[in-house]
Amino acid sequence: MKIYENDSNLILEDVSDFDIEDILECGQCFHFLKIADHEYHICAKGRFLHIKQECGSVNKVIFYNTTISDYEEVWKDYFDMNTDYRHIKKMILSIDDRLETAIRAKAGIRILHQDFFETLISFIISQNKQIPHIKQLVHTLSLRYGTRVDGYDEYLFPAVDKLNDVSVDELKECKVGFRAPYIRDAVSRVYNGDIKEDELKCMSVQDAREKLMTIHGVGEKVSNCVLLFGLGRMDVFPVDVWMKRIMEFMYFGKDTKKEIIESFACEKYGEYAGYAQQYLFHYGRENGIGK
DNA sequence: ATCCAGGAGGGCC
DNA sequence: GGCCCTCATGGA
């Protein structure tokens, strides 16, 4: 991979296992806007990024108004560029080569290392909602309580202390519905230090999950998404309605409890469970498996 | 119109 | 522990 600055932009060339559309549209994040094919505005980690990919003979990714040090400090980790996805794919296929179709179809997926707090709130919102609605609500919260991006009509996700000033009634005005008290509890617990990102990162996965589930409105599935997308725990396997259908189709052939599916997948895929889950989720959803 | 969505809480047994 | 109902909102 080549990396260089050009006219205040940052360019990556010969990027392997990277497709900005696969990465953003696979359901792991909700705070982005599609400008054109393979061109997006992303709000993440308290920053804004205008990014474009040109999939010609050279796989070229343009980070607009970005320096190498911005990349090293923020985006390199965000896009999980320290992980060798060729190796990840090889290991998953050695466990079950039936994932080859899914991996080939979505070869450019990467698991984003997202901001913990935004991930927590976003996946509390996600319950019993479709992805476009989740994006809409994250946008509403950001528009009302977040910081405007200089020069763009985009708003960063609000910081903890900002959301801590927002009441349940005000949250309901944002149309989050019955999730308003859930969000309120999550914000309070993070704000008062009862829920600490650093502490969760030092805990075992089981302990961290139990701690997260003490938040009102955070159950098995939401906590697993927070662990995977917001805390970098790749050995978890969130099971939602889609993954349930996909896994039943692939492995069980009958109605099976989510807990059974989750423990089965974690044992089968081990440290690669989170990656396997994302390939399967994106591929299965686009192909309507089980519907 | 009726059903369902990247679920979880609460009541009941 | 398991089962069933409910929760607010919007799109198909």
Side-chain angles (χ1 to χ4, degrees):
Chain A
M1 189 182 87
K2 271 196 293 185
I3 172 169
Y4 57 93
E5 290 179 1
N6 179 21
D7 196 21
S8 77
N9 301 326
L10 179 79
I11 315 287
L12 303 187
E13 281 186 11
D14 297 317
V15 192
S16 52
D17 307 298
F18 188 111
D19 184 310
I20 193 63
E21 193 168 325
D22 288 350
I23 292 169
L24 295 176
E25 305 284 0
C26 73
Q28 61 177 322
C29 62
F30 307 105
H31 203 161
F32 61 90
L33 180 68
K34 183 171 184 171
I35 303 302
D37 280 349
H38 286 89
E39 182 171 1
Y40 289 89
H41 287 172
I42 304 173
C43 295
K45 290 178 162 287
R47 301 241 194 159
F48 170 79
L49 176 64
H50 178 187
I51 189 169
K52 179 180 177 182
Q53 184 167 19
E54 294 175 353
C55 312
S57 53
V58 183
N59 192 359
K60 181 175 169 184
V61 182
I62 306 165
F63 294 64
Y64 292 98
N65 294 308
T66 303
T67 63
I68 287 186
S69 64
D70 291 333
Y71 174 76
E72 293 289 341
E73 285 168 24
V74 182
W75 304 118
K76 187 176 182 181
D77 175 65
Y78 178 69
F79 286 107
D80 200 20
M81 299 305 279
N82 294 311
T83 299
D84 179 3
Y85 277 74
R86 196 166 58 88
H87 177 251
I88 300 286
K89 293 169 182 176
K90 197 174 82 179
M91 296 310 290
I92 291 175
L93 290 175
S94 73
I95 294 166
D96 187 344
D97 60 13
R98 288 185 300 159
L99 269 76
E100 187 172 353
T101 316
I103 290 178
R104 199 193 300 267
K106 299 297 165 193
I109 285 181
R110 285 174 173 270
I111 304 287
L112 296 172
H113 289 205
Q114 301 180 61
D115 175 74
F116 165 70
F117 178 64
E118 175 167 353
T119 306
L120 175 62
I121 303 302
S122 297
F123 278 94
I124 287 174
I125 288 172
S126 81
Q127 65 179 262
N128 219 36
K129 280 220 162 291
Q130 298 185 98
I131 290 176
H133 297 156
I134 305 166
K135 290 171 69 176
Q136 192 178 322
L137 291 175
V138 170
H139 176 259
T140 302
L141 289 181
S142 303
L143 183 63
R144 290 207 183 189
Y145 307 113
T147 313
R148 186 171 185 273
V149 176
D150 203 25
Y152 289 89
D153 191 26
E154 303 279 355
Y155 295 80
L156 302 177
F157 192 79
V160 190
D161 54 345
K162 196 74 204 302
L163 271 190
N164 194 51
D165 294 331
V166 181
S167 69
V168 169
D169 285 340
E170 289 170 317
L171 288 170
K172 285 184 176 172
E173 288 173 16
C174 298
K175 305 296 181 187
V176 299
F178 62 85
R179 303 158 193 80
Y182 299 167
I183 296 170
R184 187 54 260 181
D185 186 46
V187 171
S188 299
R189 302 279 300 281
V190 174
Y191 181 77
N192 70 24
D194 183 23
I195 300 289
K196 278 203 179 74
E197 177 180 3
D198 294 343
E199 287 180 6
L200 292 169
K201 281 187 169 167
C202 295
M203 293 176 167
S204 69
V205 173
Q206 294 87 335
D207 288 349
R209 178 163 35 226
E210 283 178 23
K211 180 75 178 180
L212 285 168
M213 286 173 65
T214 63
I215 301 171
H216 204 54
V218 176
E220 184 80 15
K221 194 276 176 177
V222 170
S223 61
N224 278 334
C225 285
V226 174
L227 286 166
L228 176 57
F229 303 126
L231 290 166
R233 298 299 181 99
M234 316 316 285
D235 54 340
V236 299
F237 195 90
V239 179
D240 67 335
V241 288
W242 283 100
M243 286 310 298
K244 184 176 186 302
R245 286 198 285 259
I246 294 162
M247 293 297 283
E248 285 169 352
F249 177 78
M250 281 194 68
Y251 295 104
F252 297 95
K254 59 176 182 179
D255 186 51
T256 307
K257 292 185 190 310
K258 289 181 179 178
E259 292 76 15
I260 305 281
I261 295 173
E262 184 188 342
S263 56
F264 168 83
C266 284
E267 184 151 341
K268 188 173 185 65
Y269 292 105
E271 62 182 300
Y272 307 106
Y275 300 102
Q277 190 268 0
Q278 207 55 31
Y279 288 117
L280 285 167
F281 177 79
H282 193 23
Y283 178 72
R285 224 167 66 87
E286 281 203 355
N287 289 280
I289 288 182
K291 291 213 80 174

